[in-house]
């Protein structure tokens, strides 16, 4: 393991444990845990959450791609956030993917692809409305979700990855939260674990950069950042490219100078502003839902 990954896993785990202290599964949520979607029973697993009141109904789906600088995180760290989305009337798929540096790119992107394919193959069993599929991702998860969306809307980019099917499941709309969309050479040290190289060329970074691969067919986006988010400029650059490509989008910057909120505040279920943001995103998705 790299020194950087080890540091992130130790420090962030302590903060996340404190964040979620005392939280429990809501009584109105039905959960299906530890479903294997790949070949690994530990790294390729997912949960499904549904509101109990919707038993027997097909529900619109939200797939959540967790963050963690590509080297940290799993579905357990996102369970309370994802269950709160389910309480808003969705079936939610919350999954763990293979992390860097033990698994270099595109292993993470392949796992995202596998989850969407698993969703299609299991829509009847878990009551997924296959015509209304949405997705959220934050930080590194927003990066991976955006790359997957490029794969499903840009055939020339998809050709780089043999695991992307021609009829890959395409989300109807996505929410990209506090993400990184342009990997620049000046920050190359941050991406070494993901790509498994000590020296990164511009060509290496271009292959995993979202911005150049966005086309007019990219799904509608709810792009979120906050006043205190260290990646705020990335959201503005994303919005500029979406506008250039005429992709429908909403850009929200939450917080203020007095209440900056900081990076991925929306996954903290104890923070009032998280509920506001998550309401906004779910309402954005609902505006795209259509009846079967």
């Amino acid at each position: 393991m790299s020194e950087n990954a080890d540091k992130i896993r130790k420090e962030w785990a302590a903060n996340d444990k404190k964040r979620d202290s005392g939280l429990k599964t809501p009584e109105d949520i039905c959960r299906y845990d530890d479903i294997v979607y790949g070949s690994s029973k530990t790294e390729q697993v997912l949960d499904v959450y549904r509101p109990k009141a919707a038993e027997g109904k097909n529900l619109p789906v939200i797939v959540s791609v967790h963050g963690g600088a590509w080297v940290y995180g799993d579905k357990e760290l996102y369970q309370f956030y994802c269950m709160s989305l389910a309480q808003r009337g969705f079936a939610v798929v919350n999954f763990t993917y293979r992390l860097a540096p033990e698994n270099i790119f595109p292993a993470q992107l392949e796992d995202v692809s596998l989850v969407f394919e698993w969703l299609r193959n299991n829509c009847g069993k878990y009551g997924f409305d296959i015509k209304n599929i949405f997705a959220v991702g934050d930080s590194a998860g927003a990066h991976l979700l955006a790359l997957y969306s490029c794969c499903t809307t840009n055939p020339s980019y998809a050709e780089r990855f043999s695991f992307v099917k021609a009829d890959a499941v395409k989300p109807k709309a996505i929410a990209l939260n506090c993400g990184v969309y342009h990997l620049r050479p000046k920050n190359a040290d941050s991406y070494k674990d993901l790509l498994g190289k000590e020296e990164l060329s511009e060509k290496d970074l271009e292959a995993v950069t979202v911005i150049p691969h966005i086309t007019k067919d990219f799904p509608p986006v709810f792009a979120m950042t906050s006043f205190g988010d260290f990646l705020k400029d990335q959201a503005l650059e994303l919005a500029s490219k979406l506008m250039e490509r005429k992709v429908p989008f909403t850009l929200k910057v939450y917080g203020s100078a007095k209440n900056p909120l900081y990076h991925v505040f929306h996954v903290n279920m104890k923070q009032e502003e998280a509920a506001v943001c998550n309401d906004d995103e779910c309402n954005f998705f609902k505006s795209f839902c259509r009846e079967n």
Side-chain angles (χ1 to χ4, degrees), residues 188-200:
D189 284 351
S190 301
Y191 316 127
K192 287 180 178 179
D193 286 338
L194 177 66
L195 296 175
K197 294 183 178 181
E198 280 302 310
E199 298 296 330
L200 299 176

Side-chain angles (χ1 to χ4, degrees), residues 70 98-110 112 140 143-145 147-148 151 157 160-161 163 183 191-197 204-209:
W70 304 282
R98 289 171 291 168
L99 298 173
E102 293 87 353
N103 305 279
I104 63 172
F105 185 85
Q108 301 76 24
L109 183 59
E110 181 177 15
V112 175
H143 167 257
L144 293 172
L145 174 56
L147 283 185
Y148 177 76
C151 287
Y157 184 65
R160 303 182 186 209
F161 308 107
F163 52 80
L183 280 63
Y191 316 127
K192 287 180 178 179
D193 286 338
L194 177 66
L195 296 175
K197 294 183 178 181
D204 291 329
L205 295 176
E206 186 273 342
V208 291
T209 290

Side-chain angles (χ1 to χ4, degrees), residues 154 211-218 238-249:
N154 184 338
I211 297 296
H213 307 297
I214 292 175
T215 70
K216 63 180 179 58
D217 298 318
F218 200 80
L238 172 69
S240 178
K241 177 58 66 172
L242 295 173
M243 186 178 299
E244 177 188 324
R245 297 299 190 207
K246 296 182 171 57
V247 176
F249 75 94

Side-chain angles (χ1 to χ4, degrees), residues 123-262:
C123 59
K125 184 175 182 179
Y126 295 99
F128 300 143
D129 179 355
I130 201 69
K131 294 182 179 179
N132 290 299
I133 297 175
F134 306 96
V136 295
D138 65 87
S139 197
H143 167 257
L144 293 172
L145 174 56
L147 283 185
Y148 177 76
S149 297
C150 288
C151 287
T152 63
T153 55
N154 184 338
S156 64
Y157 184 65
E159 287 178 357
R160 303 182 186 209
F161 308 107
S162 60
F163 52 80
V164 177
K165 296 186 176 182
D167 64 343
V169 177
K170 177 183 175 181
K172 183 174 285 188
I174 61 176
L176 300 175
N177 301 312
C178 304
V180 52
Y181 315 108
H182 194 160
L183 280 63
R184 293 182 170 86
K186 67 178 181 179
N187 299 321
D189 284 351
S190 301
Y191 316 127
K192 287 180 178 179
D193 286 338
L194 177 66
L195 296 175
K197 294 183 178 181
E198 280 302 310
E199 298 296 330
L200 299 176
S201 67
E202 289 194 22
K203 184 177 180 181
D204 291 329
L205 295 176
E206 186 273 342
V208 291
T209 290
V210 174
I211 297 296
H213 307 297
I214 292 175
T215 70
K216 63 180 179 58
D217 298 318
F218 200 80
V221 177
F222 189 108
M224 184 277 278
T225 185
S226 63
F227 194 89
D229 180 17
F230 70 94
L231 291 176
K232 180 171 61 178
D233 289 346
Q234 294 262 342
L236 303 180
E237 185 175 356
L238 172 69
S240 178
K241 177 58 66 172
L242 295 173
M243 186 178 299
E244 177 188 324
R245 297 299 190 207
K246 296 182 171 57
V247 176
F249 75 94
T250 293
L251 173 64
K252 283 285 189 81
V253 181
Y254 293 87
S256 64
K258 291 184 178 180
N259 183 29
L261 294 179
Y262 301 109

